[in-house]
Amino acid sequence: MCQSPLHDFIHGLPKCEHHVHLEGCLTPELIFHLAERNGIQLPSAAENPAYASIAALTNRYEHFTSLDDFLAFYFEGMAVLRTEEDFTDLAWSYFQKAHADGVHHAEVFFDPQVHQSRGVAYATIVAGFAAGCKRAETELGLSTRLIMCFVRHLPIASAQQVYEEFLTHAHFDAGVVHGLGWSSSEVGPPKDMFREIYASAAAKGIPLTAHAGEEGDPTYISTALELGATRIDHGIRLIEDPELLKRVAAEGTLLTVCPLSNVRLRCVSSVEQVPIRKFLASGVKFSINSDDPAYFGGYILDNYCAVQEAHQLTAMEWRIIAENSVQESWIPDGRKAELLEKIEGHVKQHNLAVSAAA
């Protein structure tokens, strides 16, 4: 919890989250629980001391040295997910926390290729996560969107296979999976490795996003835009290219910024270095998100608080961030209007309280 006088305002501010990996919500407690439920042997303490206990694994998560160091644990943790119930339970655990943090709309990523490589069927993965989304909508009143990510560390043939399954199941047309993205290792694989898949998806009107400009330079962002991405996940290195910055601002492209993730993975040394104020001053739209909260020590409210402590934003600046987050969400105009009205009401209530206290 931040010590800012605006903490209560920030907590109650209606939020949209656009950048959270459901697999990144696997807490050490849930990993050990699902491993026991499914009879899965985690690495022994001799093989990897981090798996000696829940406490040891939690402690290890505080010392990632790079994106690839984190990904090794991220993919190891996924091994406990086997059944439709597992995927539903994982999604539900995230949505409960997000709801408590003031999230009203959540667009969540999942990585089917990694599960398929372990023999888990595509239909099992999607059915489980979709059930978690449905429960959040029914019981918590959230609106949700499920976004399938291709992972850059696996061969393109693997991505093509899961894309064909996605089309065969007609999950976009059925409103089950609402968009496509890419994630995993940024630097190393070809920047445009999903060119053909993205061209096909764009022709079908499927919304596209892409992880870019986290560790990679701004050309990773421009390549993603060239391939049809209309949203950039992370994108903090955009500030290194003034012309691209102007273009992103002019086109209203949303960046899904993840401050605590950027610090934990050593993309920046502190939240003060995340270019929040530069983006605001340049008219760049962005939302603030948690990325892989079980691994990075903070869900969305923790990220909001970290930004507030580092940058001391005003209530009006937070309103701009919240409204841009709604406007660039992949939801119908009617739902956008509902959320914008909630934000306006929250801001008015805050202003009245400030006036009364003056």
Side-chain angles (χ1 to χ4, degrees):
M1 179 183 295
C2 59
Q3 301 303 312
S4 168
L6 283 182
H7 175 76
D8 289 344
F9 170 78
I10 293 168
H11 189 180
L13 184 66
K15 303 171 185 69
C16 297
E17 181 147 42
H18 305 108
H19 188 156
V20 58
H21 299 264
L22 288 176
E23 292 91 347
C25 300
L26 262 172
T27 62
E29 291 85 357
L30 190 54
I31 287 174
F32 275 75
H33 169 69
L34 293 180
E36 181 178 3
R37 183 164 87 182
N38 293 325
I40 295 169
Q41 185 66 47
L42 294 172
S44 68
E47 294 171 317
N48 190 334
Y51 289 94
S53 66
I54 291 173
L57 190 57
T58 301
N59 181 67
R60 180 60 177 82
Y61 288 175
E62 297 175 3
H63 299 93
F64 294 127
T65 59
S66 67
L67 175 61
D68 286 338
D69 180 35
F70 150 67
L71 288 172
F73 282 90
Y74 179 70
F75 294 129
E76 183 70 52
M78 287 188 197
V80 302
L81 297 165
R82 296 296 176 87
T83 69
E84 183 176 322
E85 181 185 14
D86 296 338
F87 291 101
T88 300
D89 288 351
L90 172 57
W92 179 239
S93 70
Y94 159 73
F95 286 122
Q96 290 179 91
K97 178 61 176 172
H99 177 67
D101 280 357
V103 173
H104 289 243
H105 173 68
E107 303 187 358
V108 296
F109 296 130
F110 72 107
D111 302 330
Q113 290 165 261
V114 180
H115 305 299
Q116 286 183 308
S117 70
R118 297 185 289 103
V120 182
Y122 170 85
T124 297
I125 303 161
V126 176
F129 281 147
C133 291
K134 183 65 175 178
R135 185 176 180 185
E137 293 175 353
T138 301
E139 297 186 26
L140 302 177
L142 273 71
S143 49
T144 69
R145 292 292 183 266
L146 196 55
I147 303 172
M148 186 174 80
C149 274
F150 305 111
V151 290
R152 287 169 54 80
H153 71 283
L154 291 179
I156 187 65
S158 171
Q160 185 64 48
Q161 178 183 344
V162 76
Y163 177 60
E164 290 172 1
E165 289 196 67
F166 161 76
L167 295 178
T168 298
H169 284 84
H171 277 153
F172 176 68
D173 294 334
V176 177
V177 178
H178 304 86
L180 301 175
W182 77 55
S183 60
S184 187
S185 304
E186 183 175 9
V187 178
K191 297 174 187 176
D192 65 343
M193 66 181 294
F194 301 121
R195 181 179 293 274
E196 292 184 5
I197 293 175
Y198 267 45
S200 170
K204 301 177 191 305
I206 299 171
L208 300 171
T209 185
H211 283 53
E214 178 186 14
E215 288 190 326
D217 63 49
T219 62
Y220 286 82
I221 298 173
S222 56
T223 299
L225 295 173
E226 176 202 342
L227 268 57
T230 58
R231 179 185 295 171
I232 298 296
D233 302 311
H234 291 296
I236 58 171
R237 295 190 64 181
L238 177 66
I239 59 169
E240 298 172 18
D241 186 332
E243 291 305 312
L244 185 60
L245 182 88
K246 292 178 183 177
R247 173 189 168 188
V248 166
E251 295 179 357
T253 303
L254 185 76
L255 307 183
T256 67
V257 179
C258 306
L260 293 180
S261 167
N262 294 156
V263 174
R264 189 62 67 90
L265 296 184
R266 305 191 180 187
C267 299
V268 296
S269 61
S270 67
V271 176
E272 285 84 354
Q273 292 185 355
V274 179
I276 297 296
R277 286 208 167 276
K278 291 183 179 178
F279 287 156
L280 282 169
S282 301
V284 171
K285 293 182 176 181
F286 63 90
S287 60
I288 294 173
N289 309 271
S290 62
D291 199 0
D292 299 283
Y295 294 85
F296 299 148
Y299 285 77
I300 192 169
L301 181 58
D302 300 302
N303 278 270
Y304 271 61
C305 287
V307 168
Q308 180 60 18
E309 291 193 328
H311 298 280
Q312 295 299 305
L313 302 184
T314 65
M316 183 54 67
E317 287 169 327
W318 278 115
R319 177 177 185 165
I320 290 169
I321 293 169
E323 289 180 341
N324 285 341
S325 298
V326 170
Q327 294 287 11
E328 301 308 321
S329 292
W330 293 344
I331 48 179
D333 288 343
R335 178 58 174 162
K336 289 181 180 180
E338 291 176 7
L339 295 178
L340 291 171
E341 185 176 353
K342 289 179 184 290
I343 292 170
E344 182 178 4
H346 183 69
V347 172
K348 283 184 177 179
Q349 185 178 31
H350 169 75
N351 290 338
L352 288 172
V354 170
S355 298

